[in-house]
mmCIF file of all heavy atoms in Angstrom:
data_model
loop_
_atom_site.group_PDB
_atom_site.id
_atom_site.type_symbol
_atom_site.label_atom_id
_atom_site.label_comp_id
_atom_site.label_asym_id
_atom_site.label_seq_id
_atom_site.Cartn_x
_atom_site.Cartn_y
_atom_site.Cartn_z
ATOM 1 N N ALA A 344 -6.609 13.474 9.187
ATOM 2 C CA ALA A 344 -7.770 13.776 8.221
ATOM 3 C C ALA A 344 -7.388 15.046 7.488
ATOM 4 O O ALA A 344 -7.452 15.025 6.197
ATOM 5 C CB ALA A 344 -8.985 14.054 9.044
ATOM 6 N N SER A 345 -6.753 16.019 8.038
ATOM 7 C CA SER A 345 -6.277 17.173 7.342
ATOM 8 C C SER A 345 -5.223 16.920 6.253
ATOM 9 O O SER A 345 -5.399 17.325 5.098
ATOM 10 C CB SER A 345 -5.926 18.260 8.271
ATOM 11 O OG SER A 345 -5.479 19.453 7.491
ATOM 12 N N GLU A 346 -4.347 16.083 6.681
ATOM 13 C CA GLU A 346 -3.320 15.688 5.739
ATOM 14 C C GLU A 346 -3.794 14.906 4.575
ATOM 15 O O GLU A 346 -3.432 14.982 3.536
ATOM 16 C CB GLU A 346 -2.122 15.009 6.474
ATOM 17 C CG GLU A 346 -1.102 14.398 5.649
ATOM 18 C CD GLU A 346 -0.227 15.325 4.946
ATOM 19 O OE1 GLU A 346 -0.283 16.623 5.440
ATOM 20 O OE2 GLU A 346 0.386 15.177 3.959
ATOM 21 N N SER A 347 -4.701 13.935 4.874
ATOM 22 C CA SER A 347 -5.270 13.114 3.880
ATOM 23 C C SER A 347 -6.035 13.800 2.803
ATOM 24 O O SER A 347 -5.960 13.650 1.661
ATOM 25 C CB SER A 347 -6.177 12.116 4.460
ATOM 26 O OG SER A 347 -5.472 11.136 5.363
ATOM 27 N N LEU A 348 -6.893 14.786 3.361
ATOM 28 C CA LEU A 348 -7.526 15.594 2.287
ATOM 29 C C LEU A 348 -6.767 16.492 1.449
ATOM 30 O O LEU A 348 -6.900 16.702 0.279
ATOM 31 C CB LEU A 348 -8.644 16.415 3.192
ATOM 32 C CG LEU A 348 -9.713 15.548 3.894
ATOM 33 C CD1 LEU A 348 -10.796 16.636 4.475
ATOM 34 C CD2 LEU A 348 -10.544 14.901 2.787
ATOM 35 N N ALA A 349 -5.576 16.992 2.042
ATOM 36 C CA ALA A 349 -4.685 17.871 1.312
ATOM 37 C C ALA A 349 -4.117 16.950 0.180
ATOM 38 O O ALA A 349 -3.886 17.387 -0.860
ATOM 39 C CB ALA A 349 -3.623 18.275 2.328
ATOM 40 N N VAL A 350 -3.519 15.647 0.627
ATOM 41 C CA VAL A 350 -3.001 14.869 -0.456
ATOM 42 C C VAL A 350 -4.077 14.440 -1.355
ATOM 43 O O VAL A 350 -3.642 14.364 -2.726
ATOM 44 C CB VAL A 350 -2.422 13.624 0.269
ATOM 45 C CG1 VAL A 350 -1.914 12.659 -0.676
ATOM 46 C CG2 VAL A 350 -1.300 14.025 1.238
ATOM 47 N N LEU A 351 -5.192 14.215 -0.977
ATOM 48 C CA LEU A 351 -6.257 13.825 -2.061
ATOM 49 C C LEU A 351 -6.455 15.060 -3.054
ATOM 50 O O LEU A 351 -6.527 14.815 -4.291
ATOM 51 C CB LEU A 351 -7.617 13.624 -1.352
ATOM 52 C CG LEU A 351 -8.774 13.424 -2.188
ATOM 53 C CD1 LEU A 351 -8.791 12.248 -3.098
ATOM 54 C CD2 LEU A 351 -10.077 13.422 -1.340
ATOM 55 N N GLY A 352 -6.660 16.209 -2.613
ATOM 56 C CA GLY A 352 -6.791 17.369 -3.420
ATOM 57 C C GLY A 352 -5.611 17.652 -4.436
ATOM 58 O O GLY A 352 -5.897 17.867 -5.581
ATOM 59 N N GLU A 353 -4.429 17.399 -3.906
ATOM 60 C CA GLU A 353 -3.277 17.595 -4.786
ATOM 61 C C GLU A 353 -3.194 16.464 -5.892
ATOM 62 O O GLU A 353 -3.073 16.931 -7.063
ATOM 63 C CB GLU A 353 -1.900 17.426 -3.922
ATOM 64 C CG GLU A 353 -0.703 17.535 -4.778
ATOM 65 C CD GLU A 353 0.602 17.308 -3.852
ATOM 66 O OE1 GLU A 353 0.390 17.413 -2.547
ATOM 67 O OE2 GLU A 353 1.601 17.189 -4.341
ATOM 68 N N ASN A 354 -3.471 15.200 -5.493
ATOM 69 C CA ASN A 354 -3.426 14.200 -6.507
ATOM 70 C C ASN A 354 -4.593 14.194 -7.445
ATOM 71 O O ASN A 354 -4.450 13.889 -8.619
ATOM 72 C CB ASN A 354 -3.315 12.885 -5.748
ATOM 73 C CG ASN A 354 -1.952 12.546 -5.233
ATOM 74 O OD1 ASN A 354 -1.008 12.085 -5.926
ATOM 75 N ND2 ASN A 354 -1.859 12.805 -3.832
ATOM 76 N N LEU A 355 -5.771 14.602 -6.961
ATOM 77 C CA LEU A 355 -6.895 14.751 -7.751
ATOM 78 C C LEU A 355 -6.625 15.761 -8.869
ATOM 79 O O LEU A 355 -7.104 15.638 -10.085
ATOM 80 C CB LEU A 355 -8.034 15.089 -6.986
ATOM 81 C CG LEU A 355 -9.447 15.064 -7.766
ATOM 82 C CD1 LEU A 355 -9.775 13.754 -8.376
ATOM 83 C CD2 LEU A 355 -10.583 15.516 -6.759
ATOM 84 N N ALA A 356 -6.074 16.944 -8.419
ATOM 85 C CA ALA A 356 -6.020 18.018 -9.436
ATOM 86 C C ALA A 356 -4.835 17.598 -10.513
ATOM 87 O O ALA A 356 -5.038 17.701 -11.672
ATOM 88 C CB ALA A 356 -5.271 19.224 -8.718
ATOM 89 N N GLN A 357 -3.724 16.851 -10.070
ATOM 90 C CA GLN A 357 -2.832 16.291 -11.045
ATOM 91 C C GLN A 357 -3.431 15.279 -11.984
ATOM 92 O O GLN A 357 -3.125 15.213 -13.176
ATOM 93 C CB GLN A 357 -1.658 15.659 -10.255
ATOM 94 C CG GLN A 357 -0.865 16.776 -9.583
ATOM 95 C CD GLN A 357 0.426 16.275 -8.868
ATOM 96 O OE1 GLN A 357 0.553 14.998 -8.656
ATOM 97 N NE2 GLN A 357 1.230 17.094 -8.328
ATOM 98 N N LEU A 358 -4.330 14.426 -11.415
ATOM 99 C CA LEU A 358 -4.863 13.348 -12.246
ATOM 100 C C LEU A 358 -5.890 14.020 -13.361
ATOM 101 O O LEU A 358 -6.007 13.579 -14.421
ATOM 102 C CB LEU A 358 -5.702 12.267 -11.400
ATOM 103 C CG LEU A 358 -6.367 11.147 -12.020
ATOM 104 C CD1 LEU A 358 -5.310 10.395 -12.850
ATOM 105 C CD2 LEU A 358 -6.991 10.270 -11.047
ATOM 106 N N GLN A 359 -6.637 15.002 -12.824
ATOM 107 C CA GLN A 359 -7.460 15.669 -13.784
ATOM 108 C C GLN A 359 -6.613 16.414 -14.839
ATOM 109 O O GLN A 359 -7.143 16.385 -16.030
ATOM 110 C CB GLN A 359 -8.368 16.660 -13.015
ATOM 111 C CG GLN A 359 -9.484 16.037 -12.095
ATOM 112 C CD GLN A 359 -10.200 16.987 -11.314
ATOM 113 O OE1 GLN A 359 -9.729 18.021 -10.985
ATOM 114 N NE2 GLN A 359 -11.476 16.592 -10.804
#
Side-chain angles (χ1 to χ4, degrees):
S345 177
E346 176 65 20
S347 297
L348 292 179
V350 174
L351 172 65
E353 176 184 351
N354 285 277
L355 185 58
Q357 293 179 351
L358 184 56
Q359 291 172 338

